[in-house]
Every structure is written in C-alpha cells, then in structure tokens.
Amino acid sequence: MSVTQPAAERVRVSAEPDWYESAGISLGVRVGNLVFTSGQAPIDAQGATVGVGDFERQARQALANLSTVLTNAGSSLAEVIKATVFVTDITQQDIFATLRAEHFPNKPHLAESFVEVSSLANPEWMIEIEAIGLVG
C-alpha cells in the first residue's frame, strides 16, 4: 500500500541585499516547518570576503549570515537541529567549539558535522556553514 501526499510548498529565503542571488542559488529554502540553508560563507552583504586570514572573524561572519537567513525564514540559531561546518584547516576546531557554545547554547545540542575540505568556492574562505532549522 502506498500513501500519496501533496508535495510541501518550497519557499525561497532571501535577504536584502541577497548576497547569493547573482550565483543563482537561494540563501535558504523553507519547506513546511524546516529551513534548509545554503552554505553561509564569511562574506558581507555585498559579497566581499570578511577577515581574510582570520578564522575566528570569518567564522563569526558566517554565523551572522546563517542567523540572518534563519531569521528571515522564521527560525533562529536557537532552532538549528543540524549543522555542517566545512573548514580548510581542521586545527581550527577548538576556536569553532568556543563559538558553537556561544551561538548554540541550547540543549539538546545540535547535531553537527565538522569537515575539513581542500578548498571552498573562494580561496580566501576558511569556513562555510550550512544548517537545518525548525520554524515555530
């Protein structure tokens, strides 16, 4: 037996200005009570890289961008249930652990993958963060 349900509506999440519009991707997509974000990079609203060579500053910018996307979708950092953090240097894990405790203090703790990659879309980027958050 199979059950057919109507597909949930997908709603594009954006910001003003939308720093990913020129790339042809959404900052995030809301489906029902879930928000799926694109990887948030250490860029300002105009798309310029922030904190070149400074991991903590880049991580803080990526987290700020993530917060903006989630907020614009009706969610927040407090409602993140899963995050994937891509870094170009795994030894930065302790710095990110401090930031994680600061930005995601709620329990139960979020599920997270912390992954070293050889590079990101821009060679100046040291971190990119994507997340799934709840709405309501």
Side-chain angles (χ1 to χ4, degrees):
M1 174 185 212
S2 67
V3 177
T4 304
Q5 295 181 341
E9 180 183 8
R10 296 181 210 180
V11 178
R12 181 176 182 273
V13 180
S14 63
E16 187 58 45
D18 187 327
W19 52 90
Y20 283 177
E21 177 64 30
S22 65
I25 61 175
S26 296
L27 291 172
V29 176
R30 180 175 167 178
V31 181
N33 70 335
L34 294 174
V35 179
F36 301 85
T37 73
S38 290
Q40 296 304 306
I43 57 175
D44 64 20
Q46 288 69 46
T49 300
V50 171
V52 175
D54 183 338
F55 179 83
E56 182 174 347
R57 188 161 171 226
Q58 286 201 359
R60 286 187 182 281
Q61 182 66 48
L63 286 162
N65 292 347
L66 181 62
S67 179
T68 296
V69 175
L70 291 165
T71 299
N72 288 358
S75 187
S76 69
L77 290 176
E79 298 299 324
V80 170
I81 54 176
K82 170 71 170 107
T84 305
V85 182
F86 303 97
V87 297
T88 57
D89 181 359
I90 200 77
T91 66
Q92 303 298 325
Q93 190 167 10
D94 289 344
I95 293 171
F96 193 77
T98 300
L99 296 174
R100 181 189 317 108
E102 180 182 321
H103 289 83
F104 303 102
N106 295 348
K107 290 186 179 179
H109 297 298
L110 60 90
E112 178 187 281
S113 299
F114 194 85
V115 182
E116 182 179 53
V117 295
S118 60
S119 66
L120 294 164
N122 182 320
E124 294 179 328
W125 298 350
M126 304 168 77
I127 187 168
E128 189 171 327
I129 306 168
E130 64 182 27
I132 301 169
L134 295 171
V135 175

